[in-house]
Amino acid sequence: MLVAAAVCPCPPLLVPEVAAGAAPELDPARAACLDAVGVLAASRPDLLVVVGPADGRTAVAYPAGGHGSFRGFGVALDVTLGEPGPAAQGPALADSLAVGAWLVDRARWAGAPVEGLAVDGRGPAAECARAGQELAARADRVALLVMGDGSACRTLKAPGYLDERAEAFDARATEALGSADLAALDALDEALAYELKAAGRAPWQLLSGAARGAGLGGRLLYEDAPYGVGYTVAAWS
């Protein structure tokens, strides 16, 4: 069953080497993310799964040792899901999972194996919930690191330009993530999330499915919208 979860945004800019001179702007977000991963470690899971939106529309599962890279962003930095292994020859991690793998490594994760799941960002809520229930049943004690951004339409200079609906959407999502409100997460509008370029919607609804019956409480660690994109960090335990 699910014993803990961490919710983090997934911009490659979280990695200081990628952000370069702009790195200090996201220091509070990085610190909050590492605190959230610390909650996962304290739960002593048998398995940690990093979940995030796929680069395309196809869901992909990555075994322990899966590899990723930030070379596409001009940085010679490679990451793996836990310890490197045979999976290093498989497909490269989706960008969201590469950021998650970097966080896990930065937190000096040890113990439970680390796997990955990139989910279809257009996946229906019910399908996401089923995938979450399946993940939670993978081991006696499962922890999830859930990567995903809110809307990308908070300002005129945001990637998706300004959409007046974005702030309210992010507020609902942040409140639900900070309080572990499963019903509110399930109710997030799939079509609206797509229009607002909220990549975290599907991973968050997967988390809701995984948490059913687990009795977890939530704690909000960070919320902001740098660069016009909604970022939320929360810990569930």
Side-chain angles (χ1 to χ4, degrees), residues 13 34 57 65 75 77 96 98 102 113 129 151 165 183 195 200-201 216:
L13 288 174
L34 291 173
R57 289 188 56 187
V75 175
L77 176 64
S96 64
W102 176 83
S151 72
R165 303 170 296 174
E195 292 172 9
R201 191 276 307 171
L216 302 183

Side-chain angles (χ1 to χ4, degrees), residues 158-210:
Y161 196 65
L162 176 65
D163 190 311
E164 294 180 353
R165 303 170 296 174
E167 186 172 356
F169 175 90
D170 286 342
R172 287 193 296 272
T174 295
E175 183 177 0
L177 292 167
S179 60
D181 187 334
L182 307 188
L185 288 176
D186 292 342
L188 291 176
D189 188 285
E190 301 163 27
L192 178 59
Y194 178 72
E195 292 172 9
L196 297 177
K197 304 183 185 302
R201 191 276 307 171
W204 297 338
Q205 290 182 328
L206 181 149
L207 168 60
S208 176

Side-chain angles (χ1 to χ4, degrees), residues 215-229:
L216 302 183
R219 181 163 54 101
L220 182 64
L221 303 180
Y222 174 91
E223 62 171 321
D224 202 354
Y227 317 117
V229 181

